[in-house]
Amino acid sequence: YFCVDEKHVLKLDDAISFEEAASFPLVFLTAWQMLVTKAKLKKGETVLIMGASSGVGSAAIQISKLQGAHVIATAGSAEKLSFAKDLGADEVIHHYDESISGQVKKFTDKKGVDVIFEHVGAKVWDECLRSLAWGGRLVTCGATSGPKISMDLRHLFIKQQQILGSTMGNKDDLIHVHEAMTQKKLRAVIAKSFHFTEVMEAHQYLESSQNLGKVVLNWA
């Protein structure tokens, strides 16, 4: 047990299970702040979501569609691309077999995307910048493939682009997400639930990159 100030607590709605409540706050709060609060994604804009089958990626697809955006999502297998489509992605890119920037230019008539949702880091950084439109915004919250990147600053200022950093969010963002969850406008995506005694198996499952959505540990 631990104590938390009541101002930091939201009451669990009957429409949300304990497993859903455990799985949605981190990823949906992160994605909401990135897309809505920081990038200010607007209706009719096009967003590129990297790593769509992850917890934060699956949240980003749903939030982008809720905002009325056109969604292009990347993933690394046919199953994960299908998963992204089921969540609402309009176009998908196999990031191992296809050129991300090449496909983005194809889907956007060479314009590029207005917003990029990025949490991978060094491995995709150059392709992200090549995919960003004039005046576009790239927002990042992670560096799973490495934190060290290089870039030509001339492209950034000539094209009047923005790079935004983001981590988690505030309670107002969480309230918006919680309301959307209770109204079924957003849904928690749980790949698999493990008992706490199976924590090693849960880590192995995550490391195998099989998961489509969040992995939950429970004590039930």
Side-chain angles (χ1 to χ4, degrees):
Y1 300 91
F2 57 60
C3 294
V4 179
D5 191 300
E6 63 180 304
K7 69 183 179 183
H8 298 307
V9 177
L10 292 180
K11 184 178 179 181
L12 182 61
D13 189 276
D14 291 339
I16 301 174
S17 70
F18 277 101
E19 286 191 338
E20 289 170 330
S23 68
F24 86 78
L26 172 64
V27 292
F28 275 90
L29 182 57
T30 298
W32 187 280
Q33 174 164 275
M34 290 174 71
L35 292 166
V36 181
T37 307
K38 291 288 183 75
K40 302 189 187 306
L41 181 64
K42 304 180 190 69
K43 182 178 181 179
E45 289 191 312
T46 300
V47 56
L48 172 63
I49 296 172
M50 309 301 294
S53 66
S54 66
V56 72
S58 60
I61 292 174
Q62 295 183 62
I63 292 170
S64 296
K65 296 308 293 184
L66 188 63
Q67 293 297 105
H70 186 88
V71 174
I72 303 171
T74 81
S77 71
E79 182 184 17
K80 292 178 178 181
L81 293 173
S82 178
F83 171 76
K85 279 276 195 179
D86 289 343
L87 284 176
D90 298 286
E91 279 99 18
V92 292
I93 300 170
H94 194 302
H95 54 222
Y96 295 131
D97 294 345
E98 298 176 296
S99 162
I100 295 172
S101 59
Q103 289 299 103
V104 165
K105 289 174 183 176
K106 174 184 172 183
F107 293 143
T108 62
D109 196 23
K110 299 183 180 180
K111 175 192 170 188
V113 295
D114 302 294
V115 173
I116 296 179
F117 181 95
E118 204 287 300
H119 56 102
V120 178
K123 198 168 185 178
V124 299
W125 190 259
D126 288 344
E127 280 294 279
C128 284
L129 293 181
R130 292 190 188 102
S131 301
L132 196 59
W134 282 70
R137 294 93 73 199
L138 184 155
V139 59
T140 180
C141 72
T144 54
S145 69
K148 302 294 186 181
I149 57 97
S150 62
M151 59 184 295
D152 188 333
L153 284 174
R154 294 171 297 180
H155 292 293
L156 185 68
F157 60 73
I158 289 172
K159 294 181 179 179
Q160 301 185 56
Q161 298 166 335
Q162 299 177 55
I163 296 176
L164 306 165
S166 185
T167 300
M168 287 293 289
N170 57 42
K171 189 174 180 181
D172 285 342
D173 291 340
L174 182 58
I175 289 171
H176 287 306
V177 169
H178 183 253
E179 288 176 351
M181 282 281 173
T182 59
Q183 295 167 9
K184 303 300 182 184
K185 294 178 180 178
L186 299 173
R187 66 179 178 90
V189 181
I190 300 173
K192 195 169 182 179
S193 180
F194 292 85
H195 192 268
F196 191 70
T197 57
E198 301 173 311
V199 64
M200 185 174 70
E201 289 86 347
H203 274 284
Q204 290 170 341
Y205 177 71
L206 273 173
E207 291 166 13
S208 71
S209 194
Q210 298 177 54
N211 59 297
L212 303 175
K214 291 291 288 182
V215 175
V216 175
L217 290 177
N218 67 71
W219 281 262

